[in-house]
Structures are given as structure tokens and as C-alpha cells.
């Protein structure tokens, strides 16, 4: 495992800008549902960025001794922090059916909070406590793979007990079983997979299929109507794949070559802009004819607009994961593990997948999902077939120096 950025370090200007972008128009900031259920959470989170960037957090010290006495037997509760719109909710918006059913079965109450808006921003909330060996007040958190890798490398995440995870330990879909940052899923279980693919508006492309980064960058008929994501790993990763390079082991020179190719698209006005998922309206209206998009958005848009199509590039696509972890000093580790395992029961996993529309990481869920919605069960962006799964790639781990260097270069490209 490579050394990760130490949490005592301040975020560089481009990294801080990336946090702000993610909070306002990032992957979970403006989904189809959240447009209908807008809240002030993002504004509140933005208000805390000054603290994240400037506070005098002490240098990190790696500690594997941060385990605490488990109070699960005496305290029948679990505190769960997640992203917005990432778990099913009742039609009236007042209940969480999955969590309510878990409580009825186990007697364990769940304090569920949608207080994760961005990986770095959330890390800034908890890093001082974890570095000091203190309880964060959370038993279960959901973070993206590269941030999970950082926390695991720092020794801030508890090793999970497979004895409490009979469904989860045997139920992870093959493509998610053994990430290089957590071999054998010793500290984490995937909550969902997040594919970055190509989406296009067939009306805007006059029926033409758009299925490669080369088309996005070189097709004159798309000039000025192309979007790429402001998430570096997805945009650069897809570009590397199109160039015949591997994001899993790309060099600095490979990264620079991908940026140069994208820069040509910027200079030639082929690329309209770099976006979070604020591409939703532009793509639906046809102002963007084609763009790099997150699969969950595509599935939701297709329900409203039959002109929205997608393509998995032959060169491959980018796949990241959001993952469940138990931080050090959590008071209710066993209760958290029981909740993880519950979410890996196929019937429960199907209910969650039917709501969030991202890749379900649970084996054996297809039959249960078909009972809810046959179209979703057959959708390869929710349950990838073997061929689709084999074309998924992930971006390699970056050390602290590379992280800052790559972020600055990408910020220069996007004008962030």
C-alpha cells in the first residue's frame, strides 16, 4: 500500500476547489430525486470548508490500537452516516423502510444521517478524532474507494468479523471481491458500484450512436456539445483507456498525455464544459449531445426521456465503489456488522438497488429485483453481465505528491 496524504496536511487550492464542486454539483448533489427534495445540506457543508482548509489539525499518527470495547450487547443501536439519496425512503419521505424492517427484526435502532457530501469534506470532519484515537460518534460510514484506501492505510478502520457477516462474506459479486486497497474485503464491503460511461441524447445526435471518447473528442458533428466530468479519475481514466493505456498502472507521462488530448478538445471548442452531475438538464434538453456520465443518473434520466441512451466503450469504462466501513473507536461494531449483513440479503439489496439505481454489488439479487421491476433487473448498469463487468477499470492509488500534482494539472485543464 502506498503512503497516502497525511491528514494533517492542508488541501491544495485545486483540491479545495474540487470539494466545492462536489458539494454543489458532484455525483450525489443533484440527482433526479434530490432536485425534487432539495435541502440546505450542501450550503451548510460549504460553510464548513474554511475550517477544513485552515484548521490546525495535528499531524496524523497511524494507530492500529484504536479499537474500543463493543457496547452492542448493552446498547441496541447503530449510528450510520451516508450520502444523500442513497437509501430507500417511503413515498411520504418520512420513513426508511429498509432500516425500519431491520429494527423490527433485531431490536437495533438506527440513527441514520445523510451527512456525507464529499469524501474530503467528510474526512475533514472526523480526521482529528481518529488521529487522537477518539470515537467519531459513528459506527458505520460510506466512502469512495480511494478515500477508504487512505483510511485503511492509516489504521483508522476496524477489521470486520466475518462471523457476523454470513450473507455479506459470501455474497459480494465477483468483480468487487478483492480490491488492491483492501485485499479480501477485510475492512470494507461495497455499498454500490459507480460506473462512468458515455451518455448521449439520440435526438441531438440525429440517431447516431456515441460510444467512444474518440468520438467525443474528434467528431465535428458534436463540436461544442460535449461534456466531461469534473471528477479527475473518471475523465482521465476513460481517456487513458481510449488511448490504449491502463488507469490501474498509468505513469505520470501517461497522465500528461491524456491531459494533452483533453486540452486539444478544450482549445478546439469541442468540449463545452466539465461538469458534476449538473449535466442532467443539459443532456435531457439536448444542449449537450453527449457526455461522460454516471450510470445511476443515466438510468433515472431514461425513465423520463426515451431519447437518453448510453454506451459502454469497447475500450472499457471506469468503475469506482462506495464502501461500508466501521471506524476505530466505534461503540457498536457488532451492530454495524449486523446491519451490513442485513443489507446483503438479496431481498433487501434488491430494494436498495431499485431505489438508488447504481450497480448492486450483491450476488443472487436478480430474481428479487425482478419482482420489483423487471426492467431494472435486466439493466446492465445495475446488474452488469459478465462481459460488461470484465470491461470495468479503476484508477490506481496515488501517493500524496501525485495527488496534489495531478489535481493541480487537472484543475488547470478544467479552469477550476
Amino acid at each position: 500500500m502506498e503512503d497516502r496524504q497525511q491528514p494533517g496536511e492542508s488541501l491544495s487550492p485545486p483540491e479545495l476547489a474540487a470539494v466545492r464542486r462536489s458539494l454543489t454539483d458532484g455525483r450525489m448533489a443533484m440527482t433526479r430525486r434530490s432536485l425534487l427534495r432539495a435541502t440546505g445540506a450542501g450550503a451548510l457543508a460549504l460553510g464548513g470548508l474554511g475550517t477544513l482548509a485552515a484548521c490546525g489539525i495535528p499531524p496524523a499518527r497511524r494507530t492500529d490500537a484504536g479499537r474500543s470495547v463493543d457496547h452492542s450487547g448493552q446498547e441496541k443501536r447503530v449510528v450510520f452516516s451516508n450520502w444523500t439519496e442513497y437509501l430507500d425512503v417511503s413515498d411520504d419521505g418520512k420513513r426508511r423502510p429498509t432500516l425500519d424492517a431491520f429494527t423490527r427484526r433485531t431490536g437495533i435502532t438506527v440513527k441514520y444521517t445523510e451527512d456525507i457530501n464529499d469524501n474530503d469534506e467528510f474526512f475533514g470532519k472526523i480526521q482529528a478524532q481518529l488521529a487522537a484515537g477518539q470515537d467519531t460518534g459513528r459506527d458505520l460510514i460510506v466512502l469512495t474507494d480511494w478515500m477508504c484506501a487512505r483510511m485503511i492505510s492509516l489504521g483508522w478502520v476496524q477489521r470486520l468479523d466475518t462471523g457476523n457477516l454470513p450473507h455479506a462474506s459470501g455474497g459480494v459479486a465477483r468483480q468487487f471481491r478483492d480490491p488492491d486497497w483492501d485485499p479480501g474485503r477485510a475492512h470494507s464491503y461495497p455499498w454500490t458500484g459507480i460506473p462512468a460511461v458515455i451518455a448521449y441524447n439520440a435526438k441531438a445526435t440525429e440517431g447516431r450512436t456515441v460510444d467512444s471518447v474518440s468520438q467525443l473528442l474528434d467528431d465535428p458533428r458534436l463540436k461544442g456539445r460535449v461534456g466531461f466530468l469534473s471528477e479527475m479519475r473518471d475523465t482521465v481514466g476513460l481517456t487513458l483507456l481510449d488511448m490504449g493505456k491502463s488507469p490501474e498502472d498509468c505513469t505520470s507521462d501517461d497522465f500528461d498525455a491524456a491531459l494533452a488530448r483533453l486540452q486539444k478538445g478544450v482549445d478546439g471548442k469541442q468540449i463545452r464544459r466539465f461538469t458534476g452531475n449538473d449535466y442532467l438538464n443539459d443532456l435531457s434538453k439536448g444542449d449537450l449531445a453527449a457526455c461522460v456520465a454516471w450510470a445511476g443518473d443515466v438510468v433515472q434520466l431514461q425513465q423520463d426521456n426515451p431519447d437518453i441512451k448510453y454506451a459502454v466503450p469497447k475500450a472499457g469504462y471506469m468503475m469506482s465503489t462506495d464502501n461500508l466501513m466501521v471506524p476505530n473507536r466505534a461503540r457498536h461494531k457488532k451492530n454495524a456488522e449486523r446491519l451490513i449483513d442485513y443489507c446483503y440479503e438479496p431481498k433487501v439489496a434488491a430494494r436498495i438497488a431499485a431505489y438508488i439505481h447504481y450497480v448492486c454489488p450483491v450476488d443472487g439479487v436478480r430474481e428479487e429485483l425482478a419482482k420489483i421491476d423487471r426492467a431494472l433487473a435486466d439493466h446492465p448498469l445495475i446488474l452488469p453481465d459478465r462481459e460488461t463487468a470484465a470491461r470495468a477499470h479503476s484508477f490506481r492509488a496515488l501517493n500524496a505528491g501525485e495527488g496534489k500534482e495531478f489535481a493541480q494539472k487537472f484543475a488547470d485543464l478544467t479552469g477550476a
Side-chain angles (χ1 to χ4, degrees):
M1 178 69 67
E2 298 180 67
D3 290 338
R4 323 300 290 182
Q5 177 179 333
Q6 295 301 302
E9 299 178 16
S10 299
L11 293 179
S12 65
E15 290 172 321
L16 187 57
V19 173
R20 288 197 175 96
R21 286 197 307 273
S22 186
L23 291 175
T24 55
D25 60 15
R27 175 167 51 82
M28 299 304 293
M30 197 174 68
T31 64
R32 179 169 152 280
R33 290 193 199 91
S34 60
L35 284 170
L36 300 175
R37 298 176 59 217
T39 69
L44 291 174
L46 275 170
L49 284 176
T51 303
L52 172 62
C55 65
I57 294 173
R61 58 177 184 272
R62 180 183 175 113
T63 172
D64 292 308
R67 314 299 184 252
S68 63
V69 175
D70 192 353
H71 299 270
S72 293
Q74 298 77 37
E75 301 175 3
K76 304 290 284 184
R77 65 192 301 263
V78 62
V79 182
F80 184 5
S81 284
N82 205 347
W83 300 68
T84 58
E85 302 293 343
Y86 231 16
L87 185 65
D88 55 303
V89 66
S90 61
D91 291 340
D92 61 9
K94 296 180 179 179
R95 295 178 295 105
R96 298 281 180 183
T98 289
L99 299 183
D100 292 345
F102 174 75
T103 298
R104 286 195 300 270
R105 181 194 296 185
T106 64
I108 299 169
T109 60
V110 183
K111 181 181 178 182
Y112 184 76
T113 307
E114 295 178 320
D115 61 343
I116 303 178
N117 300 284
D118 175 88
N119 286 282
D120 281 314
E121 185 265 345
F122 184 75
F123 188 70
K125 291 181 183 179
I126 64 176
Q127 61 179 338
Q129 293 163 303
L130 289 168
Q134 298 171 353
D135 178 16
T136 67
R138 301 166 175 88
D139 303 304
L140 193 59
I141 59 178
V142 178
L143 294 173
T144 307
D145 42 24
W146 58 269
M147 180 58 77
C148 295
R150 179 187 297 182
M151 291 188 63
I152 291 170
S153 73
L154 289 166
W156 288 355
V157 179
Q158 298 201 46
R159 190 178 185 91
L160 299 173
D161 183 350
T162 56
N164 297 326
L165 298 158
H167 296 96
S169 59
V172 181
R174 182 178 300 277
Q175 72 179 115
F176 301 117
R177 289 179 188 171
D178 196 34
D180 59 2
W181 48 269
D182 188 20
R185 288 289 179 183
H187 304 85
S188 68
Y189 278 90
W191 177 250
T192 192
I194 310 158
V197 297
I198 293 175
Y200 61 98
N201 185 317
K203 185 176 181 179
T205 65
E206 299 179 335
R208 295 186 304 275
T209 298
V210 181
D211 59 7
S212 71
V213 169
S214 292
Q215 282 178 276
L216 292 177
L217 290 174
D218 301 329
D219 188 340
R221 294 170 297 185
L222 300 177
K223 184 173 182 178
R225 297 185 296 154
V226 169
F228 278 83
L229 290 171
S230 58
E231 292 291 337
M232 178 186 74
R233 289 166 178 81
D234 290 329
T235 285
V236 176
L238 281 168
T239 305
L240 285 167
L241 288 169
D242 193 71
M243 297 168 65
K245 304 288 187 179
S246 169
E248 286 86 352
D249 56 13
C250 68
T251 65
S252 181
D253 286 343
D254 293 335
F255 184 87
D256 289 346
L259 288 189
R261 190 159 183 229
L262 290 162
Q263 186 67 59
K264 183 179 178 181
V266 172
D267 295 341
K269 310 298 184 183
Q270 181 79 5
I271 298 174
R272 185 185 184 99
R273 63 193 182 101
F274 293 86
T275 74
N277 65 2
D278 51 331
Y279 59 75
L280 289 168
N281 288 333
D282 284 350
L283 182 63
S284 188
K285 292 187 298 183
D287 292 341
L288 284 177
C291 64
V292 177
W294 288 300
D297 292 337
V298 175
V299 176
Q300 290 187 32
L301 278 177
Q302 287 181 322
Q303 295 179 353
D304 296 328
N305 187 341
D307 291 324
I308 302 303
K309 311 294 182 182
Y310 75 93
V312 176
K314 291 181 180 179
Y317 65 102
M318 297 304 294
M319 174 75 81
S320 57
T321 53
D322 282 340
N323 307 273
L324 296 150
M325 299 190 301
V326 178
N328 282 357
R329 295 292 181 184
R331 288 181 62 87
H332 312 106
K333 177 175 181 283
K334 184 175 181 179
N335 290 346
E337 290 168 336
R338 291 183 68 182
L339 181 53
I340 294 172
D341 196 63
Y342 173 75
C343 291
Y344 266 75
E345 294 180 17
K347 187 173 183 178
V348 178
R351 184 164 62 234
I352 295 171
Y355 184 83
I356 66 176
H357 293 158
Y358 280 91
V359 172
C360 180
V362 180
D363 262 343
V365 77
R366 188 178 303 276
E367 182 178 345
E368 293 295 338
L369 186 54
K371 295 176 183 177
I372 301 171
D373 189 322
R374 168 61 67 179
L376 294 180
D378 292 337
H379 205 302
L381 295 185
I382 295 178
L383 295 179
D385 55 31
R386 187 181 296 270
E387 180 184 356
T388 302
R391 289 153 68 186
H393 294 263
S394 58
F395 207 94
R396 74 170 175 86
L398 301 176
N399 62 37
E402 289 174 326
K404 289 185 179 296
E405 176 191 353
F406 285 18
Q408 181 63 63
K409 290 178 176 179
F410 190 68
D412 291 343
L413 167 73
T414 62

